[in-house]
Amino acid sequence: GNSVTQMEGPVTLSEEAFLTINCTYTATGYPSLFWYVQYPGEGLQLLLKATKADDKGSNKGFEATYRKETTSFHLEKGSVQVSDSAVYFCALTEANSGYALNFGKGTSLLVTP
Amino acid sequence: KAGVTQTPRYLIKTRGQQVTLSCSPISGHRSVSWYQQTPGQGLQFLFEYFSETQRNKGNFPGRFSGRQFSNSRSEMNVSTLELGDSALYLCASSTDLPDTQYFGPGTRLTVL
């Protein structure tokens, strides 16, 4: 089957610090990869996605590159803001599971002023 | 374009009761998926509907069921509620899979 592993949180950073949240996956085929973000009391928002190897997804200063050789999709941001405080979920979809989203456990990020 | 809407936003039930949750997808979206989010198990896929047909199902007991109407609105039902069913239930819509899934705000179910 397929699975997603992401680093345990919580992650606490000062404003303007560099962010990396690690995500690795196992899959039997050719998955699409996603980062979703969940703010307190809300549903999930798509942050970025990549559908094939070497694709880079980017949005709102966040980036992630689909690395097939290391089965990774690490999330990065050069300078975090307090408003980035949220829970971040790495996820994949694959044809052999009907494209259901398979999520990692989530990483809580707290950015302090 | 309006986003995915879910009603109600909060619900409190007691063990043994049943509950129905509703999801209205983004206009033009025909695929609706449901996910359960709990602190212990994280986000888990329940089922997916397209054109009123269940196309995919996750690993949940038969107490969890759903349906989709001709206007693509979907409902999920949980019968004989258990304490462990307390969770945030999220609905996501897509034009069709594998296109991107967009989530609603969720329904917070508490079972006492």
Side-chain angles (χ1 to χ4, degrees):
Chain A
N2 54 51
S3 66
V4 176
T5 302
Q6 57 182 111
M7 59 189 290
E8 297 285 334
V11 173
T12 302
L13 295 174
S14 298
E15 206 166 21
E16 299 184 3
F18 185 86
L19 169 70
T20 300
I21 300 178
N22 291 336
C23 172
T24 57
Y25 68 89
T26 59
T28 55
Y30 304 94
S32 293
L33 302 173
F34 304 82
W35 278 100
Y36 280 87
V37 59
Q38 186 174 36
Y39 297 99
E42 298 185 14
L44 299 172
Q45 296 180 25
L46 177 67
L47 186 57
L48 53 85
K49 68 176 184 180
T51 58
K52 61 183 188 299
D54 300 325
D55 269 1
K56 177 187 281 189
S58 61
N59 185 27
K60 300 181 182 179
F62 290 91
E63 293 183 341
T65 301
Y66 187 143
R67 301 283 188 203
K68 188 171 169 58
E69 63 275 14
T70 54
T71 61
S72 65
F73 192 55
H74 305 320
L75 182 68
E76 296 182 335
K77 187 176 185 184
S79 177
V80 294
Q81 305 300 312
V82 172
S83 57
D84 294 326
S85 298
V87 181
Y88 293 80
F89 293 92
C90 184
L92 66 80
T93 62
E94 198 170 22
N96 66 6
S97 58
Y99 301 109
L101 281 159
N102 189 335
F103 290 92
K105 292 291 188 186
T107 301
S108 176
L109 170 66
L110 176 64
V111 181
T112 58
Chain B
K1 198 183 264 191
V4 178
T5 59
Q6 293 187 244
T7 56
R9 291 293 310 277
Y10 302 92
L11 208 46
I12 300 175
K13 293 287 187 180
T14 56
R15 277 181 301 173
Q17 288 187 310
Q18 74 165 10
V19 66
T20 299
L21 313 181
S22 179
C23 171
S24 292
I26 293 170
S27 177
H29 286 194
R30 296 168 65 192
S31 168
V32 174
S33 298
W34 289 89
Y35 294 83
Q36 181 197 63
Q37 184 177 25
T38 60
Q41 298 299 316
L43 282 151
Q44 295 184 285
F45 169 72
L46 281 155
F47 27 65
E48 187 249 346
Y49 287 86
F50 182 84
S51 291
E52 303 178 65
T53 300
Q54 185 182 90
R55 286 198 303 195
N56 195 7
K57 188 177 190 306
N59 189 26
F60 278 81
R63 300 185 298 106
F64 292 82
S65 63
R67 59 178 176 168
Q68 187 180 35
F69 302 94
S70 59
N71 62 358
S72 295
R73 190 176 71 85
S74 177
E75 290 181 346
M76 68 163 282
N77 184 77
V78 187
S79 63
T80 319
L81 283 166
E82 301 177 359
L83 295 179
D85 298 332
S86 294
L88 181 66
Y89 290 89
L90 293 162
C91 163
S93 77
S94 167
T95 49
D96 189 8
L97 299 181
D99 290 344
T100 300
Q101 297 179 54
Y102 296 91
F103 283 81
T107 294
R108 172 75 61 185
L109 172 64
T110 302
V111 182
L112 302 176

